[in-house]
Amino acid sequence: MVVIRGVVVSKQLVYDPTGTRYIKIDIIEEKELPGPVAAFSAQDEQAAQLMREVMPLVTQIVRSLPFGGGKISVPRVTLWLTDEEVEIFGDVDVGETITISVEGGVISIKPES
Amino acid sequence: MVVIRGVVVSKQLVYDPTGTRYIKIDIIEEKELPGPVAAFSAQDEQAAQLMREVMPLVTQIVRSLPFGGGKISVPRVTLWLTDEEVEIFGDVDVGETITISVEGGVISIKPES
């Protein structure tokens, strides 16, 4: 079983050609971007020592660049619910946390209580 | 509880900025387009009789036009699953039927067995 911590980032009103109204709900997952990975051979003890000293500075510089670090959002689930279904499921708002569980043969989506 | 009979219409391989691979699965619901609705006052019995005779022909003509009738597909759920999640959930293929149940506080998605 895999549990994903999703966040509602968008709610939108859409209509199909028959005029039925749907609430489109976008749920994303926030992911940490991995920092730069230090790949160097540690054969030379002095070089290894130097790298260890320089790495924090490099990480700091990369994080200050746009898209150089920090968080990204990955779309995980989008739902189109009719007014009736929203009433049964319960209204969720932008910013709310949604738990998505993947089990054998079933995916369950529920608001975090 | 509302049960929606969904159909997988698209499977797509997408990557996030960290290089993680996701299978994007689009699930739609097929809906019948309502035919033309006969709206006329039945005050005149002869006119009403004429309408009843003409309606089947009108319906037939409308259905033969593009988008004039028949089925439309409405998007209901889109999922982005990692390889691991696809393995746990079970692989679904294009054209397969998926049951979407909306209950108090929970939406469950599972392939029709």
Side-chain angles (χ1 to χ4, degrees):
Chain A
M1 181 171 146
V2 174
V3 177
I4 303 152
R5 201 172 164 278
V7 179
V8 177
V9 287
S10 143
K11 272 177 82 177
Q12 207 181 337
L13 206 59
V14 292
Y15 293 85
D16 75 8
T18 69
T20 310
R21 210 166 93 147
Y22 295 88
I23 314 279
K24 178 172 177 259
I25 299 167
D26 289 309
I27 302 168
I28 59 107
E29 181 188 17
E30 285 181 347
K31 272 181 79 173
E32 292 278 338
L33 262 192
V37 179
F40 57 93
S41 64
Q43 287 176 331
D44 185 346
E45 185 50 44
Q46 208 177 353
Q49 178 61 31
L50 184 69
M51 278 301 275
R52 269 194 294 275
E53 276 166 24
V54 169
M55 269 315 286
L57 187 66
V58 172
T59 304
Q60 208 176 328
I61 291 166
V62 171
R63 285 212 179 269
S64 73
L65 300 173
F67 306 108
K71 279 182 177 175
I72 52 159
S73 45
V74 182
R76 296 311 297 260
V77 178
T78 298
L79 300 168
W80 285 261
L81 301 178
T82 61
D83 287 347
E84 189 198 350
E85 288 154 18
V86 166
E87 215 167 272
I88 295 170
F89 178 58
D91 199 15
V92 289
D93 212 346
V94 165
E96 260 181 63
T97 307
I98 304 283
T99 307
I100 304 155
S101 326
V102 183
E103 283 172 272
V106 191
I107 293 174
S108 313
I109 299 162
K110 53 184 154 192
E112 199 171 68
S113 54
Chain B
M1 182 170 144
V2 175
V3 176
I4 304 153
R5 200 172 165 278
V7 179
V8 177
V9 288
S10 143
K11 272 177 81 176
Q12 206 181 337
L13 206 57
V14 292
Y15 293 84
D16 75 8
T18 68
T20 309
R21 211 165 94 146
Y22 295 88
I23 315 282
K24 178 172 176 261
I25 299 167
D26 288 309
I27 302 168
I28 59 107
E29 181 188 16
E30 284 180 348
K31 272 181 81 172
E32 291 280 336
L33 260 192
V37 179
F40 57 93
S41 62
Q43 288 176 330
D44 184 347
E45 186 48 45
Q46 208 180 353
Q49 178 61 31
L50 185 71
M51 277 302 275
R52 268 194 293 276
E53 275 166 24
V54 169
M55 269 316 286
L57 188 67
V58 173
T59 304
Q60 208 177 327
I61 291 166
V62 170
R63 286 211 180 271
S64 72
L65 300 172
F67 306 111
K71 280 183 178 175
I72 52 158
S73 45
V74 182
R76 296 310 299 260
V77 177
T78 299
L79 299 168
W80 285 260
L81 301 177
T82 60
D83 288 346
E84 190 198 351
E85 287 153 20
V86 167
E87 214 165 275
I88 295 169
F89 178 58
D91 200 13
V92 289
D93 213 346
V94 165
E96 261 181 64
T97 308
I98 304 282
T99 307
I100 304 156
S101 326
V102 183
E103 285 173 90
V106 190
I107 293 174
S108 314
I109 300 162
K110 53 186 154 191
E112 200 171 67
S113 53

